[in-house]
Amino acid sequence: MDEEILYRQMPHSLDAEQAVLGSMLINADCIKDVMAKLRPDDFYLRQNREIFETIQTMFLYSRPIDALTVLSEMERNGTYDDATTRAYLAELMEVTPTSANVLEYADIVLDKAVLRAVATAAAEITALVQENTGTATTVLESAEQKIYAVRRGRSAQEMERIGPVLQGVLDHLAELSASGGKMQPGMPSGFSAIDDKTAGFGDSDLVLLAARPGMGKSSLALNIARNVAKSSGKAVAVFSLEMSREQLVTRLLSSESMVELSRLLTGNLRESDWVRIASATSALGALDIRFDDNPLLTVADMNAKCRRIDNLGLVVIDYLQLMTSPGGNSTTRGESRQQVVSDMSRMLKIMAKELSVPVLCLSQLSRANEKREDKRPMLSDLRDSGAIEQDADIVMFIYRDDYYKEDSEQHNIAECIIAKNRHGSTGRVNLTWSPEYTTFSTYEGRYNEEDSW
């Protein structure tokens, strides 16, 4: 009686579970299809779960499967019951109308299993709230992780033959060719020199922009965010863990209006400045750029916020080493800190893939480059973890020679060093740096062929 009450409380379909098992006993050819879709835990009734586990084991060892062999295996593994098992296996085959619909039966079983997983997660979340042992932020983060765990556990895709995939690639190639080869397959950064190398930032790309402090990485990221919002019409999410949203918007206003940042900060404005500010305000106000300057954000927080944004085109994070780990610790040192940064970079790559948009993440560099005669950054200079290099699809560095040499001939010229690029070539391109407006622009005579690596 207790089990019957429980059945009514939790989602399940006894008929569908029996039909799946009966189909496998009737027709062993359908077992491989069921195994690709269901797991033992998807069966609610314990007896059904034990039968499925027995068939699964036999399938893995390529043993013949029918009612008699399954019965024998259950006797061997200790799940056989003298009073019920033999009769129940016979019943399963009798109640199954046909094995032809086995995948439809499996879909029903799977649907009920997901509903039970959601119900379990909801109960665990309720228990967390009632225990009153954590802050609202930690409980919310744990709740999101539990729900995402259900989703991730059910997001497996069927393996696909090369034919349909190849057709999709050819269709996309035809679209690119129709544009005369001028179409960027990825999201353009707005800097033609960079886009010539990267072919734009691809959907699901994790793009790492790294530099020593003061090189202008935040400014370049804001420039890219503005360019993407303008050219694509899509939303851009900017997470700033260092600067406030007011500081970021002031920089954007300076860049857009070409009014010196120092004038905007002091209020020492001319009449002509106000005209340009008004025009820039109108242009920026039409863009869908969203800011979050909470310094305690985790990757889970960012992922949850981005999922609520329609027509998302780009995510910008400033910067990796300031992010809070899932456990709420952003200041761990030593090996544990390296592991934290590794975990976060991996989660950022997963987030980019789940959202299907490029994620532009800024990162600090170690001081190793400053000990070398040639101070241009290298991949080995990435701070805290080599996993950052592994997870990123594109790694870009900013280097300004006049930062280190006052008499440098490369005054206000920045090198964008593309050190890793899964989709194209690496090399160096030049950008013009206008510090008074905190803005970069493409440099004429952008790069030399010898700079390609």
Side-chain angles (χ1 to χ4, degrees):
M1 180 63 69
D2 289 342
E3 279 193 330
E4 292 178 1
I5 294 174
L6 188 60
Y7 293 159
R8 291 198 298 268
Q9 292 174 338
M10 294 294 284
H12 72 285
S13 173
L14 181 59
D15 291 340
E17 290 187 11
Q18 290 180 332
V20 168
L21 296 175
S23 296
M24 290 193 292
L25 293 173
I26 293 172
N27 180 11
D29 289 340
C30 72
I31 295 176
K32 61 182 183 302
D33 299 324
V34 177
M35 291 299 169
K37 188 179 287 284
L38 297 179
R39 302 181 303 213
D41 288 345
D42 294 332
F43 289 82
Y44 187 63
L45 187 66
R46 179 183 56 80
Q47 190 173 14
N48 290 343
R49 187 163 56 248
E50 291 175 347
I51 294 171
F52 183 85
E53 286 178 332
T54 300
I55 295 175
Q56 183 182 56
T57 300
M58 297 173 69
F59 176 77
L60 291 174
Y61 286 97
S62 300
R63 296 173 184 165
I65 298 172
D66 58 32
L68 290 178
T69 57
V70 170
L71 193 65
S72 175
E73 181 65 19
M74 293 183 72
E75 288 179 338
R76 192 191 64 79
N77 64 27
T79 56
Y80 176 81
D81 186 302
D82 288 333
T84 61
T85 302
R86 184 179 295 273
Y88 189 63
L89 289 178
E91 179 186 347
L92 290 176
M93 292 185 290
E94 289 175 5
V95 300
T96 302
T98 174
S99 63
N101 300 325
V102 65
L103 292 182
E104 282 73 15
Y105 307 146
D107 284 338
I108 297 172
V109 173
L110 181 58
D111 185 70
K112 300 301 182 183
V114 172
L115 289 175
R116 289 199 304 274
V118 172
T120 300
E124 291 174 351
I125 293 168
T126 301
L128 284 174
V129 174
Q130 291 174 343
E131 288 171 3
N132 198 27
T133 57
T135 65
T137 300
T138 58
V139 171
L140 181 59
E141 183 173 312
S142 179
E144 289 176 339
Q145 289 174 347
K146 290 180 184 296
I147 295 298
Y148 289 158
V150 174
R151 184 184 297 276
R152 284 196 300 270
R154 288 305 175 190
S155 61
Q157 298 176 329
E158 293 291 332
M159 296 186 73
E160 192 165 4
R161 289 180 178 273
I162 189 173
V165 180
L166 187 59
Q167 186 58 54
V169 171
L170 291 175
D171 290 343
H172 182 59
L173 186 59
E175 184 181 358
L176 294 175
S177 178
S179 70
K182 297 179 180 179
M183 181 186 244
Q184 293 283 358
M187 178 70 73
S189 69
F191 294 93
S192 57
I194 295 176
D195 294 334
D196 286 346
K197 289 282 189 185
T198 64
F201 301 148
D203 292 344
S204 78
D205 272 359
L206 175 59
V207 182
L208 199 70
L209 176 61
R212 290 293 296 153
M215 285 288 178
K217 58 182 180 294
S218 295
S219 297
L220 182 57
L222 278 178
N223 292 167
I224 292 173
R226 182 191 61 177
N227 294 342
V228 168
K230 277 187 175 182
S231 64
S232 70
K234 294 186 176 183
V236 176
V238 179
F239 297 96
S240 175
L241 289 77
E242 186 173 38
M243 288 189 285
S244 70
R245 63 189 74 183
E246 289 80 12
Q247 289 174 312
L248 295 171
V249 172
T250 302
R251 286 191 174 207
L252 275 174
L253 190 59
S254 173
S255 179
E256 182 71 21
S257 67
M258 300 304 286
V259 173
E260 293 92 333
L261 180 63
S262 59
R263 289 184 176 276
L264 293 177
L265 294 175
T266 62
N268 182 24
L269 299 169
R270 301 188 277 272
E271 190 68 31
S272 58
D273 293 335
W274 282 108
V275 175
R276 284 183 286 177
I277 289 171
S279 176
T281 299
S282 177
L284 291 174
L287 305 179
D288 191 357
I289 304 178
R290 311 187 189 191
F291 297 95
D292 192 320
D293 57 5
N294 182 351
L296 300 178
L297 286 175
T298 65
V299 179
D301 295 329
M302 297 176 188
N303 200 338
K305 289 174 183 286
C306 288
R307 285 176 181 273
R308 302 186 190 108
I309 300 176
D310 293 330
N311 198 30
L312 183 64
L314 175 71
V315 178
V316 177
I317 302 169
D318 185 9
Y319 57 89
L320 177 64
Q321 284 78 12
L322 287 180
M323 289 172 59
T324 302
S325 68
N329 189 347
S330 61
T331 59
T332 308
R333 293 291 184 261
E335 292 184 3
S336 59
R337 180 57 188 166
Q338 291 183 2
Q339 185 59 49
V340 165
V341 174
S342 297
D343 291 343
M344 287 192 296
S345 69
R346 184 59 188 155
M347 286 187 285
L348 286 173
K349 174 56 184 175
I350 293 172
M351 182 176 84
K353 196 168 183 179
E354 288 181 350
L355 296 173
S356 192
V357 299
V359 172
L360 174 61
C361 184
L362 278 57
S363 176
Q364 280 189 345
L365 291 175
S366 69
R367 291 189 175 92
N369 71 307
E370 299 187 352
K371 300 174 184 178
R372 300 191 297 265
E373 183 175 349
D374 184 352
K375 301 188 186 309
R376 288 178 175 84
M378 301 186 299
L379 289 172
S380 58
D381 297 330
L382 289 171
R383 185 171 171 182
D384 287 323
S385 175
I388 306 174
E389 173 191 346
Q390 179 179 336
D391 293 326
D393 298 281
I394 298 173
V395 178
M396 302 189 300
F397 298 125
I398 303 175
Y399 171 77
R400 296 202 333 264
D401 196 59
D402 61 358
Y403 180 89
Y404 295 103
K405 305 173 187 175
E406 291 185 4
D407 59 347
S408 172
E409 296 179 359
Q410 302 294 309
H411 183 62
N412 284 344
I413 295 177
E415 293 181 14
C416 180
I417 302 170
I418 302 170
K420 178 184 178 182
N421 183 10
R422 290 193 202 275
H423 315 304
S425 63
T426 58
R428 293 181 294 208
V429 300
N430 285 341
L431 302 174
T432 299
W433 166 236
S434 303
E436 64 273 29
Y437 309 119
T438 64
T439 191
F440 289 87
S441 56
T442 297
Y443 179 79
E444 296 302 323
R446 298 184 299 249
Y447 56 88
N448 301 319
E449 289 301 323
E450 65 184 15
D451 285 337
S452 293
W453 304 333

